[in-house]
Amino acid sequence: MNIAAMDIGVLLPTGTAQWGPADDPRELVALGRRAERLGFSSLFVNDSLVSPRIEALTMLAALAPATENVTLGTAALMPFLRRPVQAAQSLASIDLLSGGRLTVAVGAGFPGRFGRPLYALSELPWGRRFARLDETVALWRALWDGAGAFHGEILRFADIPPMTRPFRPGGPPVWLGGATPAALARTGRMYDGWLPYPPEPADYASGLRGIHRAAADAGRSAADITPALFVSVRIDDDVETGRRALCGYARATYGMPLEELEKIQAVVAGSAGQVRERLGQYVAAGVRHLVVRLGALGLPAQRDQLERVADLIPAVRAAADHASRSDGS
């Protein structure tokens, strides 16, 4: 594989469930600036109507002039919550304001209370949601290239007026979340990156191989697809202390115990050495962009975890360099 150097980013706690009673949400911009100074290469925000939060694109627009070099990303944006042409305009605007630093990871939502009810709020059908997602991304790319019309199977627009063009020709890279066989195939065919959260590194490696096969079948290079990972991290004195803290985080964020969350998402807890070792296993499986969610409640605790994770950045990047050399890249 010919993969770029390791990127390590952080998910900002934009949801009110992660704030303490005295926290000021305006401190999120300062937290993002601090992350940039500590050496994180990207700042991500998530997107939901399940619980109150700072809206994703609003947060990125606030971060654009407040930061200098970090990538600004969504993990993950749900396009069905927005009108597709308007979303293309908003994303192009953020890319312009940030000087071409935007990355857009997208998803179609999940069954149950985390996804399906949102389609009712958006007045869109639940069926064919993946086809709608792919077509929305195709529409965005067409508009970013200056198209005046779009004729898809689901989305059809004629006589589109001139749209805001992004900073970069072709627009920001678009990644896909999800790890089903269909999602792997779609990532290989048309997306610029992959942002899943498999609980086991072996599952990540298997999924990445599937993406590379799909990319080859579509005449694409594996190097054109960024292999990223969304992972919840908690650094404490030992595993049990970290797990107790993460359990409170899981209940506050998802209303479920940690034991249930870690069945479906990548979760790493323990001492700095234990966390470094586990992240290294994902790096060996092919990850080259980590999006770290800090398992802490309240902005002071988030800042503490940010500092602890930052201390691991050199070691994780060294592990990626070693893995890349071993692969012959």
Side-chain angles (χ1 to χ4, degrees):
M1 290 187 299
N2 183 18
I3 299 296
M6 187 76 192
D7 283 309
I8 303 171
V10 63
L11 183 82
L12 295 180
T14 56
T16 59
Q18 287 83 54
W19 305 344
D23 287 342
D24 184 341
R26 291 172 293 184
E27 295 179 23
L28 292 170
V29 174
L31 186 65
R33 287 199 298 262
R34 179 60 179 160
E36 183 173 39
R37 289 195 296 270
L38 286 170
F40 289 91
S41 55
S42 58
L43 303 174
F44 278 76
V45 297
N46 57 16
D47 187 29
S48 177
L49 292 179
V50 172
S51 61
R53 70 186 58 245
I54 303 298
E55 191 273 330
L57 301 187
T58 303
M59 188 73 245
L60 294 184
L63 289 166
T67 56
E68 296 180 359
N69 299 308
V70 286
T71 295
L72 304 177
T74 58
L77 191 75
M78 293 186 287
F80 66 87
L81 296 179
R82 298 163 179 84
R83 298 292 186 185
V85 173
Q86 179 198 18
Q89 180 99 326
S90 296
L91 293 168
S93 298
I94 294 170
D95 198 53
L96 274 174
L97 291 171
S98 65
R101 292 187 284 127
L102 179 63
T103 290
V104 187
V106 297
F110 303 95
R113 69 183 180 91
F114 294 112
R116 189 161 188 161
L118 304 185
Y119 276 81
L121 291 173
S122 300
E123 300 179 318
L124 291 175
W126 174 253
R128 303 202 67 201
R129 60 193 183 278
F130 300 113
R132 180 181 294 274
L133 174 64
D134 291 348
E135 213 165 271
T136 297
V137 172
L139 168 67
W140 291 349
R141 288 169 169 164
L143 295 177
W144 294 335
D145 278 336
F150 184 86
H151 301 289
E153 185 182 352
I154 299 173
L155 302 176
R156 302 181 67 85
F157 298 96
D159 301 321
I160 300 173
M163 300 289 296
T164 300
R165 303 290 287 272
F167 183 87
R168 288 165 291 184
V174 184
W175 300 354
L176 183 65
T180 64
L184 301 178
R186 290 160 55 228
T187 301
R189 286 197 309 268
M190 67 171 288
Y191 286 88
D192 304 305
W194 184 44
L195 184 63
Y197 42 70
E200 294 297 331
D203 294 331
Y204 189 95
S206 174
L208 189 58
R209 287 193 295 269
I211 287 172
H212 290 169
R213 286 193 296 270
D217 290 343
R220 302 181 68 202
S221 169
D224 294 333
I225 304 169
T226 300
L229 173 75
F230 184 93
V231 56
S232 297
V233 171
R234 174 77 189 203
I235 299 176
D236 272 299
D237 294 335
D238 52 60
V239 173
E240 289 307 313
T241 303
R243 286 183 61 82
R244 283 195 297 271
L246 273 175
C247 192
Y249 184 92
R251 290 189 181 277
T253 303
Y254 293 105
M256 67 173 65
L258 177 61
E259 291 76 11
E260 294 299 316
L261 180 64
E262 63 187 353
K263 291 177 182 177
I264 57 175
Q265 290 191 7
V267 176
V268 181
S271 67
Q274 289 167 324
V275 170
R276 181 179 65 248
E277 180 180 0
R278 184 61 167 173
L279 293 179
Q281 293 172 5
Y282 278 104
V283 170
V287 172
R288 292 299 179 271
H289 195 136
L290 285 171
V291 179
V292 174
R293 178 168 60 179
L294 305 170
L297 297 176
L299 295 185
Q302 286 269 335
R303 284 191 290 269
D304 175 69
Q305 286 294 309
L306 185 76
E307 303 274 345
R308 292 177 182 233
V309 174
D311 289 340
L312 301 184
I313 290 176
V316 175
R317 285 186 171 150
D321 289 343
H322 175 75
S324 294
R325 288 194 299 270
S326 298
D327 287 343
S329 59

